[in-house]
Amino acid sequence: MLCRAALSPLVRSPGWCFVLSPHAIAAISRLYLPYHTQRLRNESIRCWSNIPFITMPLSRAHGKSFAHRSELKHAKRIVVKLGSAVVTRGDECGLALGRLASIVEQVSVLQNQGREMMIVTSGAVAFGKQRLRHEILLSQSVRQALHSGQSQLKDMAIPVLEARACAAAGQSGLMALYEAMFTQYSICAAQILVTNLDFHDEQKRRNLNGTLHELLRMNIVPIINTNDAVVPPPEPNSDLQGVISVKDNDSLAARLAVEMKTDLLIVLSDVEGLFDSPPGSDDAKLIDIFYPGDQQSVTFGTKSRVGMGGMEAKVKAALWALQGGTSVVIANGTHPKISGHVITDIVDGKKVGTFFSEVKPAGPTVEQQAEMARTGGRTLAALQPEQRAEIICRLADLLTDQREEILLANKKDLEEAENKGRLALPLLKRLSLSTSKLNSLAIGLRQIAASSQDSVGRVIRRTRIAKDLELEQVTVPIGVLLVIFESRPDCLPQVSALAIASGNGLLLKGGKEAAYSNQILHHLTQEALSIHGVKDAVQLVNTREEVEDLCRLDKLIDLIIPRGSSQLVRDIQKAAKGIPVMGHSEGICHVYVDTDASVEKVTRIIRDSKCEYPAACNALETLLIHRDLLRTPLFDQIIDMLRVEQVKIHAGPKFASYLTFSPSEVKSLRTEYGDLECCIEVVDSVQEAVEHIHKYGSSHTDVIITENEKTAQFFLQHVDSACVFWNASTRFSDGYRFGLGAEVGISTSRIHARGPVGIEGLLTTKWLLRGDNHVVSDFSEHGSMKYLHESLPLPQRNTS
């Protein structure tokens, strides 16, 4: 075993064995740790001699691997294995410096969080090959220039380079590169070269173990590699009983991880992870979680373009490490879009690569649920409209018949939420179910059933392209919907009914605060679906899947609909890559009181808009008042009513300027309070009201109160929001109140569905062309046919 500590160009020893004196320790302290001094006051400190080290509250009893990805954030000791394909360039001569720098940065971030990082690296052979090729070319060019002239330089041949010689030439350069990169983050690195004998000899094993523990204790990152300059060729089938033989860096990383009782082993290669068949084949699917015993279901392909081990070697090493109590993730370290954060994403518990786990979940994975929802949705869409309506009516009956069980489950959720104190009062109100809510739900569902008779397969356009060639555009389901909702168990049957009516498969992800309520409501939904054998069309995600991970399933999910806080919606819009998101991030609704407003209407509409349900997204948040109404009896009535209703008032900048003693001035005019609070601002005209709404609103719902029809028409025409009302409460912005039966949400985006989204918003179209031996060449300049493009009457809609 050879060891060299990379401390600093000023204090590095030229030899391979490095002994630290107290003076050297003090020097290291002065050189590398001054940047920590500001953080020491707020973070826990680990001391070795008199040197402080930043630490994290990370510790667990080693012996059992993590069961779920979400637990990986608790990993303290981590080994990162860099495959040859990750470290080297595509031409296999030289290092991929950009990737290597990114990996060093990520390892440094984790090391500075207080984790203990180790790197098992390849790359010495490639780096040495680059150096030796350069030396050979230089030598040959000099000789040939002297004897043959420049004309023969292009014909020079480079001999095949022996790997051991390349490794010997590349080791020092590779380590120097790591030293330079880690120094940028004030981190020390140490190189350790090992061979198989270092693990088979008990004394050498103890020496290696002691060296690594000492380096970790000193906050140094060990960089380990097989000593390829002297290592013999690997012997086939040389594993001992219960021990993995070090044949390549995969087996080295696994052996090292178990020897050092490591929490996590990250194996970076040039593939995304483990596939159920060779990557690149038509049916290859990435395996998210791999369990011991699943090897039989996997077909291994060829090994990577460089390096000693292929995927089969990686899986063998990973399973051996897993058996030894170390969690393992195999991921892609070469993809330009993810390599810059792949290591930190894995430690954060994000769905990257293949996670090896000994704990197999009882139910299907979310990918399997999405496939089931798609298959079930297609079967659902093929049913007769009366059959889909029958399912929805059955669900409506179950909501009332099983109300006692539903309310009992909801009571459990409410009690847990209140005991833990994790929900604000508005969210508790959303979480609560009641008999009246269930009755309203049942009525809404029956309304959906009645109005959905010809939703799927409805012809919306017919065109005669030419003689005996007719084109139809018909409505079809979007596919698989992912609806993510918080604290709203009543959302589950509503959305399920709309998905059933529109023939869509559905994935539901509810908040854990409504777990009991969601479980029984989903059970009742599947019971209703079972009457026509489509139980799998609606799936409830119960796994510990992060929302961000669900948003990456772009090959399985066609549309995401978030229902919850503005922060949830923004997070989903940011996380969704390649999947459209339908919804609104904020509900900043305005009511503008015009000079010609009716005294009787103003207080009623404002009270209903703000106080009827202040937590709703369609509740009033900003009240705009025409300047001429200040200090009038109408203005006083508005203020008195808000005070009686205990609404906290925030003054806008212009409103505050008119007052001697004003309420607290608003921090932002773009605020959704979601409670008994609102902002009051003054405007000079309806035009200024429209401009204010466009600048500070969220395109949700905005209202004008006036008796002047001309002013009202100007407001209705010019306000660019999803819902614009005249002399009506903002609270009417709702699918049930619009007669849609229910809604999957309110959309403020500019896609096909806007405002409250019912069945129509969950449909798209496809084109059906019926011909008789028609070909495009018949319509050419000298062809026998001509385009007609005649509009044809649509079939009569079923309105029964």
mmCIF file of all heavy atoms in Angstrom, residues 589-595 622-627 654 681-697 702-705 711 714-716 718-721 724:
data_model
loop_
_atom_site.group_PDB
_atom_site.id
_atom_site.type_symbol
_atom_site.label_atom_id
_atom_site.label_comp_id
_atom_site.label_asym_id
_atom_site.label_seq_id
_atom_site.Cartn_x
_atom_site.Cartn_y
_atom_site.Cartn_z
ATOM 1 N N CYS A 589 -56.776 37.768 -6.324
ATOM 2 C CA CYS A 589 -58.027 38.227 -6.936
ATOM 3 C C CYS A 589 -58.354 39.647 -6.477
ATOM 4 O O CYS A 589 -58.182 39.988 -5.302
ATOM 5 C CB CYS A 589 -59.165 37.280 -6.562
ATOM 6 S SG CYS A 589 -58.856 35.564 -7.040
ATOM 7 N N HIS A 590 -58.842 40.463 -7.407
ATOM 8 C CA HIS A 590 -59.156 41.870 -7.133
ATOM 9 C C HIS A 590 -60.655 42.125 -7.244
ATOM 10 O O HIS A 590 -61.339 41.514 -8.051
ATOM 11 C CB HIS A 590 -58.457 42.785 -8.138
ATOM 12 C CG HIS A 590 -56.969 42.762 -8.069
ATOM 13 N ND1 HIS A 590 -56.216 41.720 -8.574
ATOM 14 C CD2 HIS A 590 -56.085 43.658 -7.551
ATOM 15 C CE1 HIS A 590 -54.926 41.981 -8.377
ATOM 16 N NE2 HIS A 590 -54.818 43.141 -7.765
ATOM 17 N N VAL A 591 -61.127 43.073 -6.431
ATOM 18 C CA VAL A 591 -62.469 43.648 -6.605
ATOM 19 C C VAL A 591 -62.273 45.156 -6.735
ATOM 20 O O VAL A 591 -61.671 45.792 -5.853
ATOM 21 C CB VAL A 591 -63.400 43.334 -5.424
ATOM 22 C CG1 VAL A 591 -64.700 44.132 -5.556
ATOM 23 C CG2 VAL A 591 -63.703 41.845 -5.352
ATOM 24 N N TYR A 592 -62.757 45.714 -7.863
ATOM 25 C CA TYR A 592 -62.658 47.163 -8.085
ATOM 26 C C TYR A 592 -64.027 47.793 -7.858
ATOM 27 O O TYR A 592 -65.022 47.413 -8.492
ATOM 28 C CB TYR A 592 -62.177 47.446 -9.506
ATOM 29 C CG TYR A 592 -62.382 48.878 -9.947
ATOM 30 C CD1 TYR A 592 -61.806 49.941 -9.235
ATOM 31 C CD2 TYR A 592 -63.165 49.184 -11.059
ATOM 32 C CE1 TYR A 592 -62.006 51.256 -9.629
ATOM 33 C CE2 TYR A 592 -63.359 50.499 -11.484
ATOM 34 C CZ TYR A 592 -62.782 51.524 -10.755
ATOM 35 O OH TYR A 592 -62.985 52.827 -11.142
ATOM 36 N N VAL A 593 -64.080 48.777 -6.953
ATOM 37 C CA VAL A 593 -65.321 49.493 -6.650
ATOM 38 C C VAL A 593 -65.301 50.809 -7.411
ATOM 39 O O VAL A 593 -64.490 51.706 -7.118
ATOM 40 C CB VAL A 593 -65.466 49.736 -5.134
ATOM 41 C CG1 VAL A 593 -66.807 50.425 -4.850
ATOM 42 C CG2 VAL A 593 -65.362 48.423 -4.366
ATOM 43 N N ASP A 594 -66.190 50.908 -8.387
ATOM 44 C CA ASP A 594 -66.248 52.082 -9.257
ATOM 45 C C ASP A 594 -67.073 53.188 -8.607
ATOM 46 O O ASP A 594 -67.828 52.945 -7.642
ATOM 47 C CB ASP A 594 -66.858 51.661 -10.603
ATOM 48 C CG ASP A 594 -66.821 52.761 -11.637
ATOM 49 O OD1 ASP A 594 -65.729 53.305 -11.859
ATOM 50 O OD2 ASP A 594 -67.882 53.081 -12.206
ATOM 51 N N THR A 595 -66.944 54.396 -9.140
ATOM 52 C CA THR A 595 -67.718 55.530 -8.597
ATOM 53 C C THR A 595 -69.212 55.314 -8.745
ATOM 54 O O THR A 595 -70.009 55.841 -7.974
ATOM 55 C CB THR A 595 -67.335 56.843 -9.316
ATOM 56 O OG1 THR A 595 -67.385 56.616 -10.727
ATOM 57 C CG2 THR A 595 -65.949 57.289 -8.942
ATOM 58 N N THR A 622 -57.061 41.807 -2.910
ATOM 59 C CA THR A 622 -56.812 43.248 -3.037
ATOM 60 C C THR A 622 -58.101 43.955 -3.435
ATOM 61 O O THR A 622 -58.745 43.575 -4.419
ATOM 62 C CB THR A 622 -55.720 43.536 -4.085
ATOM 63 O OG1 THR A 622 -54.500 42.931 -3.674
ATOM 64 C CG2 THR A 622 -55.499 45.037 -4.238
ATOM 65 N N LEU A 623 -58.471 44.966 -2.653
ATOM 66 C CA LEU A 623 -59.669 45.768 -2.908
ATOM 67 C C LEU A 623 -59.222 47.104 -3.500
ATOM 68 O O LEU A 623 -58.500 47.874 -2.857
ATOM 69 C CB LEU A 623 -60.439 45.987 -1.604
ATOM 70 C CG LEU A 623 -61.700 46.846 -1.676
ATOM 71 C CD1 LEU A 623 -62.735 46.225 -2.607
ATOM 72 C CD2 LEU A 623 -62.289 47.035 -0.278
ATOM 73 N N LEU A 624 -59.625 47.364 -4.733
ATOM 74 C CA LEU A 624 -59.305 48.621 -5.412
ATOM 75 C C LEU A 624 -60.510 49.555 -5.309
ATOM 76 O O LEU A 624 -61.623 49.167 -5.670
ATOM 77 C CB LEU A 624 -58.967 48.368 -6.880
ATOM 78 C CG LEU A 624 -57.764 47.446 -7.155
ATOM 79 C CD1 LEU A 624 -57.621 47.215 -8.663
ATOM 80 C CD2 LEU A 624 -56.488 48.026 -6.579
ATOM 81 N N ILE A 625 -60.282 50.775 -4.828
ATOM 82 C CA ILE A 625 -61.371 51.735 -4.629
ATOM 83 C C ILE A 625 -61.063 53.005 -5.408
ATOM 84 O O ILE A 625 -59.938 53.526 -5.362
ATOM 85 C CB ILE A 625 -61.552 52.062 -3.133
ATOM 86 C CG1 ILE A 625 -61.950 50.784 -2.378
ATOM 87 C CG2 ILE A 625 -62.571 53.164 -2.923
ATOM 88 C CD1 ILE A 625 -62.147 50.986 -0.901
ATOM 89 N N HIS A 626 -62.073 53.484 -6.137
ATOM 90 C CA HIS A 626 -61.890 54.727 -6.882
ATOM 91 C C HIS A 626 -61.629 55.865 -5.902
ATOM 92 O O HIS A 626 -62.249 55.954 -4.845
ATOM 93 C CB HIS A 626 -63.131 55.021 -7.732
ATOM 94 C CG HIS A 626 -62.897 56.061 -8.781
ATOM 95 N ND1 HIS A 626 -62.792 57.407 -8.482
ATOM 96 C CD2 HIS A 626 -62.753 55.956 -10.139
ATOM 97 C CE1 HIS A 626 -62.596 58.085 -9.594
ATOM 98 N NE2 HIS A 626 -62.564 57.224 -10.614
ATOM 99 N N ARG A 627 -60.708 56.763 -6.285
ATOM 100 C CA ARG A 627 -60.292 57.847 -5.383
ATOM 101 C C ARG A 627 -61.462 58.708 -4.933
ATOM 102 O O ARG A 627 -61.499 59.171 -3.775
ATOM 103 C CB ARG A 627 -59.258 58.720 -6.118
ATOM 104 C CG ARG A 627 -58.696 59.857 -5.295
ATOM 105 C CD ARG A 627 -57.812 60.740 -6.133
ATOM 106 N NE ARG A 627 -58.557 61.263 -7.284
ATOM 107 C CZ ARG A 627 -58.013 62.034 -8.229
ATOM 108 N NH1 ARG A 627 -56.731 62.318 -8.194
ATOM 109 N NH2 ARG A 627 -58.754 62.480 -9.224
ATOM 110 N N LYS A 654 -50.580 54.245 -2.315
ATOM 111 C CA LYS A 654 -51.407 55.421 -2.601
ATOM 112 C C LYS A 654 -52.458 55.620 -1.517
ATOM 113 O O LYS A 654 -52.719 56.759 -1.093
ATOM 114 C CB LYS A 654 -52.084 55.280 -3.963
ATOM 115 C CG LYS A 654 -51.135 55.481 -5.145
ATOM 116 C CD LYS A 654 -51.871 55.471 -6.465
ATOM 117 C CE LYS A 654 -52.730 56.707 -6.642
ATOM 118 N NZ LYS A 654 -53.340 56.758 -7.998
ATOM 119 N N GLU A 681 -56.179 49.490 -1.958
ATOM 120 C CA GLU A 681 -55.414 50.469 -2.729
ATOM 121 C C GLU A 681 -56.374 51.381 -3.480
ATOM 122 O O GLU A 681 -57.515 50.996 -3.785
ATOM 123 C CB GLU A 681 -54.470 49.749 -3.697
ATOM 124 C CG GLU A 681 -53.555 50.643 -4.513
ATOM 125 C CD GLU A 681 -52.658 51.566 -3.692
ATOM 126 O OE1 GLU A 681 -53.174 52.241 -2.775
ATOM 127 O OE2 GLU A 681 -51.439 51.630 -3.978
ATOM 128 N N VAL A 682 -55.898 52.572 -3.775
ATOM 129 C CA VAL A 682 -56.712 53.597 -4.438
ATOM 130 C C VAL A 682 -56.263 53.731 -5.880
ATOM 131 O O VAL A 682 -55.060 53.698 -6.176
ATOM 132 C CB VAL A 682 -56.563 54.944 -3.700
ATOM 133 C CG1 VAL A 682 -57.272 56.059 -4.468
ATOM 134 C CG2 VAL A 682 -57.111 54.837 -2.295
ATOM 135 N N VAL A 683 -57.251 53.872 -6.793
ATOM 136 C CA VAL A 683 -56.962 54.122 -8.210
ATOM 137 C C VAL A 683 -57.781 55.316 -8.673
ATOM 138 O O VAL A 683 -58.821 55.643 -8.082
ATOM 139 C CB VAL A 683 -57.269 52.888 -9.088
ATOM 140 C CG1 VAL A 683 -56.312 51.748 -8.786
ATOM 141 C CG2 VAL A 683 -58.711 52.438 -8.923
ATOM 142 N N ASP A 684 -57.317 55.939 -9.750
ATOM 143 C CA ASP A 684 -57.986 57.150 -10.240
ATOM 144 C C ASP A 684 -59.047 56.880 -11.292
ATOM 145 O O ASP A 684 -59.862 57.753 -11.585
ATOM 146 C CB ASP A 684 -56.948 58.119 -10.824
ATOM 147 C CG ASP A 684 -56.023 58.682 -9.759
ATOM 148 O OD1 ASP A 684 -56.407 58.658 -8.573
ATOM 149 O OD2 ASP A 684 -54.908 59.117 -10.108
ATOM 150 N N SER A 685 -59.037 55.663 -11.872
ATOM 151 C CA SER A 685 -59.979 55.381 -12.964
ATOM 152 C C SER A 685 -60.060 53.888 -13.185
ATOM 153 O O SER A 685 -59.247 53.114 -12.656
ATOM 154 C CB SER A 685 -59.512 56.071 -14.250
ATOM 155 O OG SER A 685 -58.268 55.509 -14.654
ATOM 156 N N VAL A 686 -61.015 53.479 -14.014
ATOM 157 C CA VAL A 686 -61.123 52.067 -14.369
ATOM 158 C C VAL A 686 -59.895 51.636 -15.168
ATOM 159 O O VAL A 686 -59.420 50.492 -15.059
ATOM 160 C CB VAL A 686 -62.426 51.792 -15.147
ATOM 161 C CG1 VAL A 686 -62.432 52.512 -16.493
ATOM 162 C CG2 VAL A 686 -62.619 50.290 -15.367
ATOM 163 N N GLN A 687 -59.358 52.553 -15.985
ATOM 164 C CA GLN A 687 -58.145 52.240 -16.753
ATOM 165 C C GLN A 687 -56.985 51.917 -15.813
ATOM 166 O O GLN A 687 -56.243 50.946 -16.016
ATOM 167 C CB GLN A 687 -57.777 53.438 -17.642
ATOM 168 C CG GLN A 687 -56.472 53.274 -18.418
ATOM 169 C CD GLN A 687 -56.542 52.200 -19.478
ATOM 170 O OE1 GLN A 687 -57.533 52.123 -20.200
ATOM 171 N NE2 GLN A 687 -55.515 51.370 -19.576
ATOM 172 N N GLU A 688 -56.839 52.709 -14.741
ATOM 173 C CA GLU A 688 -55.761 52.461 -13.780
ATOM 174 C C GLU A 688 -56.006 51.164 -13.007
ATOM 175 O O GLU A 688 -55.063 50.445 -12.666
ATOM 176 C CB GLU A 688 -55.644 53.634 -12.801
ATOM 177 C CG GLU A 688 -54.408 53.542 -11.925
ATOM 178 C CD GLU A 688 -54.231 54.754 -11.022
ATOM 179 O OE1 GLU A 688 -54.688 55.857 -11.399
ATOM 180 O OE2 GLU A 688 -53.641 54.585 -9.931
ATOM 181 N N ALA A 689 -57.281 50.856 -12.747
ATOM 182 C CA ALA A 689 -57.610 49.585 -12.085
ATOM 183 C C ALA A 689 -57.168 48.412 -12.946
ATOM 184 O O ALA A 689 -56.578 47.428 -12.456
ATOM 185 C CB ALA A 689 -59.105 49.511 -11.797
ATOM 186 N N VAL A 690 -57.442 48.494 -14.259
ATOM 187 C CA VAL A 690 -57.035 47.428 -15.180
ATOM 188 C C VAL A 690 -55.516 47.304 -15.199
ATOM 189 O O VAL A 690 -54.966 46.190 -15.146
ATOM 190 C CB VAL A 690 -57.587 47.698 -16.599
ATOM 191 C CG1 VAL A 690 -56.980 46.723 -17.605
ATOM 192 C CG2 VAL A 690 -59.100 47.609 -16.609
ATOM 193 N N GLU A 691 -54.810 48.419 -15.252
ATOM 194 C CA GLU A 691 -53.343 48.391 -15.277
ATOM 195 C C GLU A 691 -52.782 47.789 -13.989
ATOM 196 O O GLU A 691 -51.802 47.041 -14.018
ATOM 197 C CB GLU A 691 -52.811 49.810 -15.496
ATOM 198 C CG GLU A 691 -53.088 50.345 -16.892
ATOM 199 C CD GLU A 691 -52.761 51.826 -17.027
ATOM 200 O OE1 GLU A 691 -52.345 52.435 -16.011
ATOM 201 O OE2 GLU A 691 -52.926 52.380 -18.140
ATOM 202 N N HIS A 692 -53.404 48.149 -12.843
ATOM 203 C CA HIS A 692 -52.965 47.587 -11.566
ATOM 204 C C HIS A 692 -53.139 46.063 -11.553
ATOM 205 O O HIS A 692 -52.249 45.324 -11.117
ATOM 206 C CB HIS A 692 -53.765 48.214 -10.416
ATOM 207 C CG HIS A 692 -53.395 47.673 -9.072
ATOM 208 N ND1 HIS A 692 -52.597 48.357 -8.178
ATOM 209 C CD2 HIS A 692 -53.718 46.502 -8.453
ATOM 210 C CE1 HIS A 692 -52.431 47.623 -7.084
ATOM 211 N NE2 HIS A 692 -53.113 46.492 -7.226
ATOM 212 N N ILE A 693 -54.264 45.598 -12.032
ATOM 213 C CA ILE A 693 -54.545 44.150 -12.054
ATOM 214 C C ILE A 693 -53.539 43.422 -12.936
ATOM 215 O O ILE A 693 -53.040 42.359 -12.585
ATOM 216 C CB ILE A 693 -55.995 43.904 -12.520
ATOM 217 C CG1 ILE A 693 -56.975 44.363 -11.434
ATOM 218 C CG2 ILE A 693 -56.223 42.431 -12.866
ATOM 219 C CD1 ILE A 693 -58.419 44.435 -11.895
ATOM 220 N N HIS A 694 -53.234 44.024 -14.100
ATOM 221 C CA HIS A 694 -52.267 43.386 -14.994
ATOM 222 C C HIS A 694 -50.868 43.354 -14.378
ATOM 223 O O HIS A 694 -50.104 42.403 -14.599
ATOM 224 C CB HIS A 694 -52.225 44.108 -16.332
ATOM 225 C CG HIS A 694 -53.439 43.877 -17.161
ATOM 226 N ND1 HIS A 694 -53.758 44.647 -18.259
ATOM 227 C CD2 HIS A 694 -54.439 42.964 -17.054
ATOM 228 C CE1 HIS A 694 -54.887 44.219 -18.796
ATOM 229 N NE2 HIS A 694 -55.319 43.196 -18.078
ATOM 230 N N LYS A 695 -50.522 44.354 -13.601
ATOM 231 C CA LYS A 695 -49.177 44.441 -13.017
ATOM 232 C C LYS A 695 -49.024 43.541 -11.800
ATOM 233 O O LYS A 695 -47.999 42.885 -11.628
ATOM 234 C CB LYS A 695 -48.868 45.888 -12.650
ATOM 235 C CG LYS A 695 -47.442 46.100 -12.168
ATOM 236 C CD LYS A 695 -47.144 47.580 -11.977
ATOM 237 C CE LYS A 695 -45.691 47.787 -11.559
ATOM 238 N NZ LYS A 695 -45.370 49.230 -11.397
ATOM 239 N N TYR A 696 -50.050 43.501 -10.941
ATOM 240 C CA TYR A 696 -49.912 42.806 -9.659
ATOM 241 C C TYR A 696 -50.784 41.557 -9.526
ATOM 242 O O TYR A 696 -50.632 40.796 -8.574
ATOM 243 C CB TYR A 696 -50.242 43.765 -8.505
ATOM 244 C CG TYR A 696 -49.332 44.961 -8.445
ATOM 245 C CD1 TYR A 696 -49.808 46.229 -8.797
ATOM 246 C CD2 TYR A 696 -48.008 44.831 -8.059
ATOM 247 C CE1 TYR A 696 -48.982 47.349 -8.744
ATOM 248 C CE2 TYR A 696 -47.173 45.946 -8.003
ATOM 249 C CZ TYR A 696 -47.664 47.195 -8.348
ATOM 250 O OH TYR A 696 -46.832 48.290 -8.301
ATOM 251 N N GLY A 697 -51.694 41.333 -10.458
ATOM 252 C CA GLY A 697 -52.586 40.190 -10.340
ATOM 253 C C GLY A 697 -51.949 38.891 -10.811
ATOM 254 O O GLY A 697 -50.795 38.860 -11.260
ATOM 255 N N ASP A 702 -61.057 38.481 -11.349
ATOM 256 C CA ASP A 702 -61.125 39.905 -11.009
ATOM 257 C C ASP A 702 -62.531 40.432 -11.284
ATOM 258 O O ASP A 702 -63.188 40.016 -12.238
ATOM 259 C CB ASP A 702 -60.078 40.686 -11.804
ATOM 260 C CG ASP A 702 -58.664 40.205 -11.483
ATOM 261 O OD1 ASP A 702 -58.209 40.421 -10.353
ATOM 262 O OD2 ASP A 702 -58.036 39.576 -12.364
ATOM 263 N N VAL A 703 -62.977 41.363 -10.412
ATOM 264 C CA VAL A 703 -64.386 41.791 -10.377
ATOM 265 C C VAL A 703 -64.483 43.311 -10.426
ATOM 266 O O VAL A 703 -63.647 44.008 -9.840
ATOM 267 C CB VAL A 703 -65.059 41.268 -9.079
ATOM 268 C CG1 VAL A 703 -66.455 41.857 -8.905
ATOM 269 C CG2 VAL A 703 -65.105 39.742 -9.090
ATOM 270 N N ILE A 704 -65.500 43.799 -11.113
ATOM 271 C CA ILE A 704 -65.856 45.215 -11.043
ATOM 272 C C ILE A 704 -67.258 45.339 -10.468
ATOM 273 O O ILE A 704 -68.151 44.554 -10.808
ATOM 274 C CB ILE A 704 -65.780 45.900 -12.431
ATOM 275 C CG1 ILE A 704 -66.103 47.395 -12.285
ATOM 276 C CG2 ILE A 704 -66.696 45.233 -13.445
ATOM 277 C CD1 ILE A 704 -65.863 48.197 -13.566
ATOM 278 N N ILE A 705 -67.442 46.309 -9.567
ATOM 279 C CA ILE A 705 -68.775 46.616 -9.028
ATOM 280 C C ILE A 705 -69.145 48.008 -9.522
ATOM 281 O O ILE A 705 -68.506 49.004 -9.140
ATOM 282 C CB ILE A 705 -68.795 46.569 -7.489
ATOM 283 C CG1 ILE A 705 -68.245 45.228 -6.980
ATOM 284 C CG2 ILE A 705 -70.222 46.783 -6.966
ATOM 285 C CD1 ILE A 705 -68.140 45.147 -5.453
ATOM 286 N N THR A 711 -68.653 51.322 -18.442
ATOM 287 C CA THR A 711 -67.450 51.075 -17.631
ATOM 288 C C THR A 711 -67.249 49.579 -17.411
ATOM 289 O O THR A 711 -66.135 49.057 -17.501
ATOM 290 C CB THR A 711 -67.566 51.788 -16.272
ATOM 291 O OG1 THR A 711 -67.774 53.188 -16.494
ATOM 292 C CG2 THR A 711 -66.312 51.585 -15.436
ATOM 293 N N PHE A 714 -65.913 47.889 -20.532
ATOM 294 C CA PHE A 714 -64.482 48.184 -20.696
ATOM 295 C C PHE A 714 -63.653 47.255 -19.809
ATOM 296 O O PHE A 714 -62.651 46.689 -20.256
ATOM 297 C CB PHE A 714 -64.213 49.648 -20.321
ATOM 298 C CG PHE A 714 -62.766 50.047 -20.437
ATOM 299 C CD1 PHE A 714 -62.254 50.521 -21.628
ATOM 300 C CD2 PHE A 714 -61.905 49.922 -19.346
ATOM 301 C CE1 PHE A 714 -60.909 50.881 -21.738
ATOM 302 C CE2 PHE A 714 -60.566 50.276 -19.441
ATOM 303 C CZ PHE A 714 -60.074 50.766 -20.654
ATOM 304 N N PHE A 715 -64.089 47.086 -18.569
ATOM 305 C CA PHE A 715 -63.377 46.221 -17.611
ATOM 306 C C PHE A 715 -63.393 44.767 -18.092
ATOM 307 O O PHE A 715 -62.358 44.088 -18.117
ATOM 308 C CB PHE A 715 -64.044 46.348 -16.239
ATOM 309 C CG PHE A 715 -63.317 45.642 -15.130
ATOM 310 C CD1 PHE A 715 -62.331 46.283 -14.406
ATOM 311 C CD2 PHE A 715 -63.642 44.331 -14.795
ATOM 312 C CE1 PHE A 715 -61.669 45.642 -13.372
ATOM 313 C CE2 PHE A 715 -62.993 43.674 -13.764
ATOM 314 C CZ PHE A 715 -62.001 44.335 -13.048
ATOM 315 N N LEU A 716 -64.569 44.279 -18.509
ATOM 316 C CA LEU A 716 -64.704 42.887 -18.953
ATOM 317 C C LEU A 716 -63.853 42.607 -20.179
ATOM 318 O O LEU A 716 -63.288 41.524 -20.331
ATOM 319 C CB LEU A 716 -66.172 42.569 -19.254
ATOM 320 C CG LEU A 716 -67.140 42.594 -18.072
ATOM 321 C CD1 LEU A 716 -68.581 42.422 -18.558
ATOM 322 C CD2 LEU A 716 -66.804 41.519 -17.053
ATOM 323 N N HIS A 718 -61.060 44.365 -21.201
ATOM 324 C CA HIS A 718 -59.632 44.658 -21.119
ATOM 325 C C HIS A 718 -58.879 43.885 -20.041
ATOM 326 O O HIS A 718 -57.651 43.745 -20.148
ATOM 327 C CB HIS A 718 -59.421 46.162 -20.898
ATOM 328 C CG HIS A 718 -59.694 46.977 -22.119
ATOM 329 N ND1 HIS A 718 -60.969 47.401 -22.460
ATOM 330 C CD2 HIS A 718 -58.870 47.431 -23.099
ATOM 331 C CE1 HIS A 718 -60.918 48.092 -23.585
ATOM 332 N NE2 HIS A 718 -59.658 48.132 -24.001
ATOM 333 N N VAL A 719 -59.551 43.396 -19.020
ATOM 334 C CA VAL A 719 -58.837 42.618 -17.997
ATOM 335 C C VAL A 719 -58.525 41.239 -18.561
ATOM 336 O O VAL A 719 -59.422 40.483 -18.952
ATOM 337 C CB VAL A 719 -59.669 42.505 -16.704
ATOM 338 C CG1 VAL A 719 -58.997 41.529 -15.734
ATOM 339 C CG2 VAL A 719 -59.796 43.868 -16.049
ATOM 340 N N ASP A 720 -57.237 40.905 -18.578
ATOM 341 C CA ASP A 720 -56.783 39.657 -19.208
ATOM 342 C C ASP A 720 -56.618 38.560 -18.158
ATOM 343 O O ASP A 720 -55.514 38.073 -17.910
ATOM 344 C CB ASP A 720 -55.461 39.918 -19.936
ATOM 345 C CG ASP A 720 -54.996 38.713 -20.733
ATOM 346 O OD1 ASP A 720 -55.834 37.852 -21.033
ATOM 347 O OD2 ASP A 720 -53.790 38.637 -21.039
ATOM 348 N N SER A 721 -57.712 38.174 -17.531
ATOM 349 C CA SER A 721 -57.684 37.114 -16.525
ATOM 350 C C SER A 721 -58.556 35.952 -16.977
ATOM 351 O O SER A 721 -59.360 36.091 -17.907
ATOM 352 C CB SER A 721 -58.175 37.636 -15.171
ATOM 353 O OG SER A 721 -57.303 38.631 -14.674
ATOM 354 N N VAL A 724 -63.466 37.027 -15.348
ATOM 355 C CA VAL A 724 -63.713 38.452 -15.128
ATOM 356 C C VAL A 724 -65.219 38.627 -14.921
ATOM 357 O O VAL A 724 -66.018 38.241 -15.775
ATOM 358 C CB VAL A 724 -63.222 39.303 -16.326
ATOM 359 C CG1 VAL A 724 -63.308 40.788 -15.989
ATOM 360 C CG2 VAL A 724 -61.793 38.930 -16.723
#
